[in-house]
Structure formats: structure tokens, C-alpha cells
Amino acid sequence: MIRQILTFITVGLTLVSAQAQQSKAPAYPLITHDPYFSIWSTTDQLTQSATSHWTGAEQALSGLIQVDGKSYNFMGHAERTYKTILAAADEKPYTLRYTETAPKSNWNDLNFDASSWKSGAAPFGDRPHEAGTEWKSKHLWVVRDFQLGAEIPKVLYLKINHDDNVEVYLNGQEVFKKAGFTEGKYVYVPIKGVALKSLKKGNNVLAVHIENTAGGQWLDVGLSTDDPANNPKIALATQTSRMVKATQTTYSFKAGGVDLELAFTSPLLMDNLDLISRPVSYLTYRVKSNDKKKHQVKILFAASSDLAVHTPAQEIEAQLLKVPGLSVLKAGTTSQPVLQKSGDNVRIDWGYVYVAVPQSQKSTQFIARSSASPALFQSGSKAINTNTVKGTKYALNTVLDFGQVEDKAKQQFVMLAYEDLESIQYFGRNLKAYWTNDGKTTFASMLQKSANEYAQILEKCNAFDTQMYTAAVKSGGEKYAGLCVLAYRQAISAHKLVKSPKGELLFMSKENYSNGSIYTVDLTYPSAPLFLAYNPELVKGLLNGMFEYSESGRWKKPYPAHDLGTYPLANGQTYGEDMPVEEAGNMIIITAATVKAEGNPAYARKHWATLTTWAEYLSKEGFDPGNQLCTDDFAGHLNRNANLSAKAIVALGSYGWMAHQMGETAAAEKYTSMAKEMAKKWMELADDGDHYSLAFGQKDTWSQKYNLVWDKLLDLDLFPKTVYEKEVKYYLGKQNKYGLPLDSRKSYTKSDWVIWTSVLADNRADFDAFIDPIYLYAVETPSRSPLSDWHGTTDALRQNFTARSVVGGYFIKLLESQWNQQKEGHNNTK
């Protein structure tokens, strides 16, 4: 039965709760539903940058407010558009001369003869279905000749998408050089000085050297200049506040004599699976006079058609729709390649983005080029494009007319939604989103229902935001609560909720900014505390697909798979290497946690044969793991990993505990005794004086033993408390400014594991000592992207990961508090 955790209280429709929450974030969640429909602001001022998908690709949401005829920008950076000089492959096919062997030193000169080099279609890379030419070597050198006429551009940009280290030359002059982290998208680099002056009528040449250092490989280059239609300068509204809460992000602005409050609400309320699955967010606007005068007020909301493309050069079709009670705009690609793309740095290019408003608000909607929309709004043009339009870089525009505004606030709202048609492919079957489960609900009727339920949903979101924050403060303090606020929407929206052909819930995770895997077990493990705390049915949704994979016979090994494929295609593991002990331990422990959360062993009984196979494997191979990967695979293989051994021990104890819950006395005694004996032996083999080592036999090393937290939460009593106390005391002497390193090998850390480790502390002061540096990282990191769970503890720099579901693990302290309260309540009723 779904746990009822929301205490609905009457809070009205105010956009700012009475209780302050989190005002600073690495990036601010605006629209958060699933791995494809996910839009963020990466700057503290909402006008300082264009909004973007979590991958970094621009997906512009824009806002202007007109007060007595004067316009102010309050959302989004003016979207710059470019005119192509030399097309990149996202616009038009082209070929390059290339070599993978180091050429002569003058290879980048204007007159270098590259005729002996190979010829290949761009882009170059390691993604076989997207690359024009496969490139898998370490180095690549390319040259691209192009012709110019008599008109030489006075402004020029290098358009480039590269992975990894790159150096670019124009007519022999260096124009761009970058080492390290790649953007994973097209960037426009200004070309100036000698390089710009080198352009000439006739032949010119771009030359590029790129080096692969790790991970993916990619290269595509072109040249652009400014589009004459770029937006004119518009006055900026003054941003006076911002606040992030569990389900909402709110901003306040001053525009002349009018105050504006704007709230982005993605109603991810986990007690309502239909609602959490609906891909509809609300933008609520409230305006009032701040100078006791009357003002005429209009607001423009513009959503770029780029929300529905993988790359901006893809052609879209946009149109006005007629839906009873609503005014609706819709846009999507003309090609509609449903479920034809998979991978990590991928945006959806099938289905349709919608902007909808109640007709009762008497709003005006129109479709126009993104660059032309502000001018049309400012001029008060009444021209409405009623025809279907095709092309690129369009905006879906909605004008909210508030009429005369005085001291009393006026409020209107807009709905932004995405219809993905087909969500997931699951062992060859295409599955639709959960909200369509009744087979009758159309997208139009779902929009109508969302509009009708607006007030009720906002009230529930306000109540939940207050309830969750209050509970987090009570369990771990304000800084801990702030981290939970930042994690909430990010964790949930890294999943897609569907039902399997058998009717089971599937809560399909995407391994964002890692390798794009779908349903990764070692993401399920760290993310589970959030869902255990608020709805164990979703935890089952995280586990059901992996049980199905093994129980169907598709996966034949005596331990679970790492994943079910590459998002959104869940047709079987695609990761290159198994993690036997890691994944077997993860599945058993989280199944036991589900049993505890539900208060009965029914779920374990349903999968007991499979759990038994995995437990038997761990009984033989888990205690002293061989040279294999664990969930921290970025750190490489490790032989005799003490923390991985602890996971196996806790998993075997969890299996014994579940057997006891089911009345399987013999199995309970066997596996509980086995786990306790292993724990004693572990203490001997891992002992390193005042702490326990990174790996058996490796003296003068250490690591966070975060896996021990489930021994504590499940009350297994496998390890004595002295183990926790010794480790915690040692860790406190190893902290850096931005947190406790993962282990003695590097100074980076995983914030989810630090928070798990903090729960091993037996007093609030030690807990806070772990939490405070992680909070400091979250508010001081210079890496402006959705929260990364992997960062440097000396510089707060994001190492790679971003927007991942594992931050759901931040809720482990709140979960512990919930379970302790339940235990106290149970003891009090005896």
C-alpha cells in the first residue's frame, strides 16, 4: 500500500512559503519531469543566461514584462542567432581530409597539401549511428578547405562540438585551444585579430587537431557570423529574490512600478503516481503595483522549439490547436524518429512540446521566429500565425494581459508540457508513459485535467514543500535540509515511469552524464532512500525490471546485470563489464529495505528464488572480492575491496533478516550466522590500527565504508558499534574544505556516499561535521550545472557527473529518522 505522507494544510495559493528554504544552487530546476523534459537555469540571475537542458544544450524559455508600454526582460538571456558561413554537420553534410598519424609540423598552414590524407564525412566520433566517420584512435588531424566570395565577413565565430582536447587554426592562425572538460554541445567561439584578417576571397582552410583523453570522442566544425535579426537590447527587470523548494523554484522581480513573482512548479508528488507521471509544469505569474499607482501590464512567455529537437538544425513544425477550454501551441520535428536515438548526450527529437493556457485568461498566442518574438510583443502586434509553420528556431509565444494592476495582486498561469508518444523500449516492446495507463486519456484531456486541477495541485505542492523541509530540518538541520531540497526534483526527474507488459511498475532511471545506461542497479542503490521515505512502490519500480531480466532467463548469470541497456532502449545490458558483488549486494539490500519500509515480506517472497541465487553467489564470492569494479567504477578496478566486502556481508545479513520475516528459520539462522562470522573476520583483515583499510592487505590506506549504513538502518547488528566509532573518528581527521575524500587514492569525493557515511555518526556534532562541507560545496562550486555527486574536495569543481538520480541518497538521514520514529511508536504500543 502506498504510504500516505502528505499532510495537506490550508496554505492558499501564495508562491512563497512562510518558511525559507534554499536560495543558492549550482543550477536552478525550472522544468523537471524526466531525462528528456528537464530545463534548468545555470546562473543566479534568471536573465544572466539562456535556460538549458541538463546536458547543457540551450532550450530557451524567455520572459518579458511590459509596464505602461515599457518592456523589461526577466527570464532568459536574449537568444543569439547565427548566420552560417561554413555549415557544420548538424546543418549540412560535408567531408574532411584527415589522418590519425602525426603529420608534418606545417600541417595547419594555409597552403599545406593534404591530398594524400584520407577523406571522410563529418562528424567524426565513436557513436556509430550518428558519426559520419568512425574515430576511435587517440589523435585526429583534419583540414577543411572552403571558398569565400568578394564579401568577407567582419564578424566570425568558430562553431565547434568537440570531445576532448582540441586546437583549431584558421589559415594557419590559432583561433581556439582547449584542454580538459568538453561542453558536449556546439559552442560559438569569436574569431578576432590576425585570424579574422587572414580571411580572403578564394580558398581558406580550417585545421584541427583533437586528442581523446577518456570517454567519448567527437568532432564537428563550421563557421558562422551574426544574424542581423538578433534581439535588440531590452531593459532588465531587477531580480529581488529566488528560492528553491522541493517541487517549486520561485523568483521575484521589480519592473518599474510593478512587482512580479514567478514560480516554476513541477508537481512531483510521490503519493500520486498519475500526477508524478504527467509531463506538465506550471508557470505562475503574480503582479501588483509597488508604488500605489495603477499600471497596464502584459507578460510574454516564449518557449523555443528547441525543446523538441536533438540539434537546433532539425526542422520543426509548429501550429495552434483547438482544445476545449484551452488555448494551445504545439511543436515537434517533422521527421519524428520515435525511440531511434539512445545515449547520454541526447535530447528528444520525437513527440511534441505544448504551451497551454485557460481560455478564461483571454491570452494571445502566436508563433514567430525566436529572434522576432520580442519585437512583435513590444509593438503590440495582433497578427496571429494561424497556419502551420515549418523551419528552425521558432518560438511558441503566449501573451498574458493583466490589464490594469493595482496594489492587489493579479495571478495567471501557463502550462508547459511534453508528449513523448512512446517513452521506453522494453525488451522489444514500446511502452507509453504511466499517465496513459488507462488507455483512454488523451494528451488533450490530460492538459484539460491539469488546468482544472491547478489550484488543488498548487496547494498540495505548497503543503509538501513545507512538510518535507520541516522533516529534513528536524532530522539533520537546515544545511542538511537545503541539500535535500536541491536533490528532490533532480533525483525524481532522472527517471521515466511506465508499466511493463506484465503490468508491473517500472521506474526507469537514466545514468545521466555518465554513460547513458538505463535502469543501472548501482544508481538504484544510492537513490533508493528518497523513494523508501516517500513511496516504496517506486522502489519496487526500481527493482522489478532487474528481477524480470533474471527470472525470464534472458540474463543467465548467478548475479544481477549492471543495467538493462542504453536509455531509452531497455533491451539488455550494454555496459561492457559486470559488477558481480556490487549488483548482487545492491539488489538484496534494497529489497530488504523495501520489506522494512512496507512492514511485510511479500515482495521478498515473490522473488525469493532469485534472491537466494544471488545470496548463494555472495556466500562464495562476496567476502574477499576479486579484482573487479564497484559502483565507484571511475576509480578503477580494486582487488580485495574492503567496502565492497562490507556490502556483501550486509547483503547476506539482509537476506537472513528477510528469511526471518518470512518464517524461513533455517535460512535465517544460516545466513545471519554466516554474515556475523564474516564481519568478525572482516574486522581482522581490514584492521589498520586506528581505522580500517581500503582493501585487505593494503596497510596505510583508507576508504569510506558507506555500505555499513544499512547494517545500522536495518538493525542487523552484524558489526559492533566500535567499528562505526573508529571509522568516524578517523574520517573527521581526513576532511578537506569541501568534504571527506572517497578514499586515500584521490582528493575527490561522492557527496551521496559522504552523507551515508555521516549517518554512521552517533552524535549531531559529528554528523554536522560531515554535512557542513558538502553544503559549502553545493553553494560555492564554480561548476554551474545541475548538482554533481562527484566533486573535488579541495576546489569544489565538478569532476564529471551531473543531474544524476543518486542524490536521492541524500535522504538517508531523513529515512533513518522516519524509521526510528516508527520503532519508537511500535515500542510505545507494546
Side-chain angles (χ1 to χ4, degrees):
M1 184 177 71
I2 296 177
R3 179 178 303 167
Q4 300 298 318
I5 51 87
L6 289 179
T7 304
F8 298 134
I9 58 176
T10 302
V11 293
L13 293 179
T14 179
L15 297 184
V16 183
S17 71
Q19 193 170 22
Q21 301 204 18
Q22 184 58 33
S23 64
K24 186 73 168 66
Y28 299 91
L30 305 180
I31 308 295
T32 47
H33 289 279
D34 60 46
Y36 287 139
F37 194 30
S38 179
I39 306 172
W40 300 69
S41 172
T42 58
T43 48
D44 295 331
Q45 299 290 318
L46 192 55
T47 55
Q48 207 171 348
S49 64
T51 61
S52 59
H53 186 256
W54 64 261
T55 57
E58 187 172 308
Q59 293 190 334
L61 304 179
S62 305
L64 300 178
I65 181 170
Q66 193 177 86
V67 179
D68 299 326
K70 182 178 180 179
S71 293
Y72 301 82
N73 181 23
F74 63 85
M75 176 167 57
H77 196 65
E79 186 175 6
R80 179 174 291 277
T81 57
Y82 298 91
K83 181 180 178 182
T84 298
I85 299 295
L86 185 65
D90 65 326
E91 301 175 68
K92 185 179 178 182
Y94 70 93
T95 59
L96 293 169
R97 289 285 181 181
Y98 74 97
T99 179
E100 295 169 277
T101 305
K104 296 178 181 179
S105 60
N106 66 334
W107 67 275
N108 55 4
D109 287 352
L110 172 61
N111 298 316
F112 178 76
D113 182 6
S115 59
S116 63
W117 291 12
K118 299 176 185 176
S119 180
F124 284 70
D126 62 347
R127 303 197 292 268
H129 299 299
E130 298 177 55
T133 301
E134 186 177 62
W135 166 48
K136 289 191 174 181
S137 61
K138 186 173 179 62
H139 291 273
L140 180 72
W141 290 262
V142 306
V143 294
R144 184 177 184 188
D145 293 301
F146 62 97
Q147 302 291 316
L148 287 178
E151 188 176 339
I152 307 298
K154 293 182 173 60
V155 176
L156 193 67
Y157 301 91
L158 170 71
K159 176 182 177 181
I160 184 167
N161 187 347
H162 69 96
D163 187 356
D164 294 303
N165 299 352
V166 70
E167 51 185 309
V168 184
Y169 302 86
L170 174 61
N171 293 341
Q173 303 296 321
E174 183 179 288
V175 295
F176 183 56
K177 187 173 185 178
K178 185 172 183 180
F181 177 69
T182 177
E183 297 278 356
K185 63 178 182 179
Y186 290 96
V187 294
Y188 292 83
V189 181
I191 296 176
K192 299 179 179 180
V194 176
L196 181 61
K197 292 177 181 177
S198 74
L199 288 175
K200 61 186 179 66
K201 180 180 179 180
N203 191 58
N204 297 266
V205 64
L206 271 176
V208 184
H209 170 222
I210 187 165
E211 176 187 9
N212 177 52
T213 58
Q217 298 175 239
W218 201 256
L219 178 64
D220 187 18
V221 291
L223 295 170
S224 299
T225 188
D226 278 330
D227 187 333
N230 274 328
N231 295 333
K233 293 255 183 207
I234 298 173
L236 294 180
T238 302
Q239 183 175 305
T240 56
S241 72
R242 67 176 176 271
M243 193 66 67
V244 182
K245 294 174 281 186
T247 66
Q248 301 176 81
T249 300
T250 64
Y251 294 88
S252 297
F253 306 92
K254 182 177 180 180
V258 168
D259 288 341
L260 164 66
E261 291 181 3
L262 168 62
F264 297 87
T265 305
S266 296
L268 304 184
L269 300 174
M270 284 185 278
D271 69 327
N272 185 331
L273 297 184
D274 179 71
L275 181 60
I276 202 175
S277 172
R278 280 189 214 168
V280 180
S281 278
Y282 301 100
L283 285 79
T284 303
Y285 302 83
R286 285 166 57 93
V287 294
K288 66 177 182 178
S289 172
N290 60 37
D291 60 5
K292 298 182 180 180
K293 297 179 182 179
K294 299 176 182 179
H295 301 281
Q296 292 292 323
V297 177
K298 291 183 179 179
I299 285 177
L300 171 70
F301 169 64
S304 172
S305 61
D306 285 354
L307 271 67
V309 301
H310 173 57
T311 62
Q314 288 179 280
E315 184 184 61
I316 64 96
E317 180 176 288
Q319 59 186 308
L320 288 154
L321 295 182
K322 292 183 179 179
V323 176
L326 299 176
S327 179
V328 181
L329 295 170
K330 170 185 176 182
T333 59
T334 53
S335 57
Q336 288 299 306
V338 177
L339 292 173
Q340 289 182 23
K341 286 185 176 64
S342 64
D344 190 23
N345 187 19
V346 174
R347 273 74 52 199
I348 193 168
D349 59 2
W350 66 89
Y352 302 91
V353 60
Y354 290 78
V355 179
V357 288
Q359 286 181 347
S360 59
Q361 292 183 176
K362 303 189 184 316
S363 304
T364 302
Q365 291 191 304
F366 65 96
I367 303 164
R369 295 282 185 184
S370 296
S371 56
S373 297
L376 290 172
F377 169 68
Q378 291 182 95
S379 68
S381 173
K382 300 294 184 182
I384 299 175
N385 191 338
T386 56
N387 300 316
T388 297
V389 299
K390 293 182 180 181
T392 61
K393 288 289 182 182
Y394 276 93
L396 306 182
N397 299 285
T398 301
V399 178
L400 305 175
D401 191 345
F402 289 84
Q404 186 170 274
V405 172
E406 302 181 46
D407 292 347
K408 185 177 180 181
K410 288 186 175 181
Q411 176 176 301
Q412 295 190 34
F413 72 93
V414 175
M415 296 185 296
L416 186 64
Y418 204 98
E419 180 183 18
D420 63 5
L421 305 177
E422 304 285 349
S423 300
I424 298 291
Q425 190 172 96
Y426 183 69
F427 297 111
R429 293 275 298 273
N430 289 354
L431 304 181
K432 297 182 181 298
Y434 182 89
W435 65 266
T436 68
N437 189 54
D438 62 5
K440 301 175 183 177
T441 304
T442 65
F443 201 82
S445 64
M446 187 269 290
L447 285 176
Q448 291 170 315
K449 185 176 183 181
S450 298
N452 292 337
E453 294 178 349
Y454 165 76
Q456 175 189 352
I457 289 171
L458 262 288
E459 185 174 355
K460 289 180 178 180
C461 286
N462 284 326
F464 176 76
D465 291 347
T466 300
Q467 181 272 332
M468 192 280 281
Y469 185 77
T470 302
V473 169
K474 185 176 180 181
S475 65
E478 289 186 359
K479 290 180 180 178
Y480 173 69
L483 290 169
C484 288
V485 165
L486 296 181
Y488 185 84
R489 267 176 286 168
Q490 176 172 316
I492 299 172
S493 62
H495 300 81
K496 189 71 178 183
L497 189 64
V498 296
K499 268 198 173 183
S500 76
K502 293 168 58 175
E504 291 185 323
L505 200 67
L506 297 174
F507 197 36
M508 311 292 279
S509 63
K510 179 178 180 182
E511 195 167 345
N512 288 345
Y513 230 107
S514 180
N515 62 9
S517 291
I518 188 170
Y519 221 75
T520 304
V521 175
D522 54 289
L523 262 69
T524 291
Y525 179 66
S527 71
L530 170 61
F531 308 111
L532 287 163
Y534 288 109
N535 191 345
E537 287 297 318
L538 289 171
V539 187
K540 293 179 189 177
L542 291 167
L543 302 175
N544 287 335
M546 198 54 62
F547 279 121
E548 168 71 13
Y549 195 18
S550 287
E551 292 166 358
S552 68
R554 296 183 181 97
W555 180 260
K556 303 181 185 301
K557 299 176 184 179
Y559 48 81
H562 167 271
D563 60 78
L564 290 186
T566 302
Y567 196 93
L569 308 179
N571 296 320
Q573 178 172 307
T574 52
Y575 193 68
E577 184 174 347
D578 297 341
M579 297 184 188
V581 174
E582 173 70 39
E583 310 304 16
N586 292 340
M587 288 295 293
I588 293 172
I589 291 170
I590 298 305
T591 301
T594 304
V595 169
K596 182 175 177 70
E598 291 199 301
N600 72 75
Y603 189 69
R605 182 176 286 110
K606 180 179 179 180
H607 299 291
W608 194 242
T610 305
L611 291 166
T612 300
T613 297
W614 295 339
E616 289 175 348
Y617 174 81
L618 289 180
S619 72
K620 299 170 185 173
E621 305 291 342
F623 174 73
D624 196 350
N627 190 36
Q628 59 188 267
L629 295 174
C630 70
T631 184
D632 305 316
D633 54 356
F634 52 84
H637 294 75
L638 181 62
N639 191 34
R640 311 190 76 191
N641 184 334
N643 188 44
L644 189 58
S645 173
K647 176 174 287 184
I649 295 168
V650 173
L652 291 168
S654 299
Y655 178 86
W657 177 81
M658 287 188 287
H660 176 74
Q661 302 302 307
M662 292 168 55
E664 300 285 346
T665 306
E669 292 179 355
K670 174 184 174 181
Y671 281 92
T672 301
S673 297
M674 182 190 303
K676 289 186 174 182
E677 287 301 313
M678 285 183 176
K680 291 178 183 177
K681 189 176 179 182
W682 184 94
M683 293 169 63
E684 296 172 3
L685 288 177
D687 185 59
D688 201 4
D690 58 354
H691 68 284
Y692 296 96
S693 60
L694 168 67
F696 299 148
Q698 289 192 17
K699 295 297 182 182
D700 300 319
T701 64
W702 64 274
S703 65
Q704 292 186 47
K705 307 303 188 300
Y706 53 80
N707 288 314
L708 293 176
V709 73
W710 292 105
D711 182 34
K712 184 178 182 181
L713 264 64
L714 294 171
D715 295 319
L716 301 178
D717 295 323
L718 303 176
F719 292 85
K721 291 182 179 178
T722 53
V723 172
Y724 307 158
E725 292 167 355
K726 181 191 283 193
E727 286 290 275
V728 166
K729 183 178 180 181
Y730 186 80
Y731 297 152
L732 291 174
K734 293 294 181 181
Q735 295 223 95
N736 291 323
K737 180 177 181 180
Y738 296 108
L740 175 67
L742 184 65
D743 56 48
S744 53
R745 292 174 291 180
K746 300 280 187 179
S747 63
Y748 57 56
T749 197
K750 289 280 272 85
S751 54
D752 48 341
W753 298 147
V754 175
I755 295 177
W756 284 31
T757 295
S758 73
V759 177
L760 297 177
D762 62 3
N763 63 82
R764 179 61 180 271
D766 287 349
F767 171 80
D768 288 344
F770 290 113
I771 295 300
D772 290 355
I774 298 301
Y775 181 82
L776 192 65
Y777 150 69
V779 298
E780 290 191 358
T781 177
S783 303
R784 304 310 300 266
S785 66
L787 191 62
S788 174
D789 53 287
W790 180 23
H791 72 270
T793 61
T794 59
D795 56 14
L797 286 172
R798 162 191 163 206
Q799 297 297 294
N800 193 13
F801 304 155
T802 189
R804 302 207 314 159
S805 64
V806 301
V807 296
Y810 289 10
F811 283 78
I812 198 160
K813 184 66 175 177
L814 186 146
L815 178 67
E816 181 195 39
S817 298
Q818 280 189 1
W819 284 359
N820 284 342
Q821 290 170 13
Q822 291 171 9
K823 185 164 46 176
E824 291 170 6
H826 178 71
N827 291 337
N828 291 336
T829 59
K830 286 185 177 179

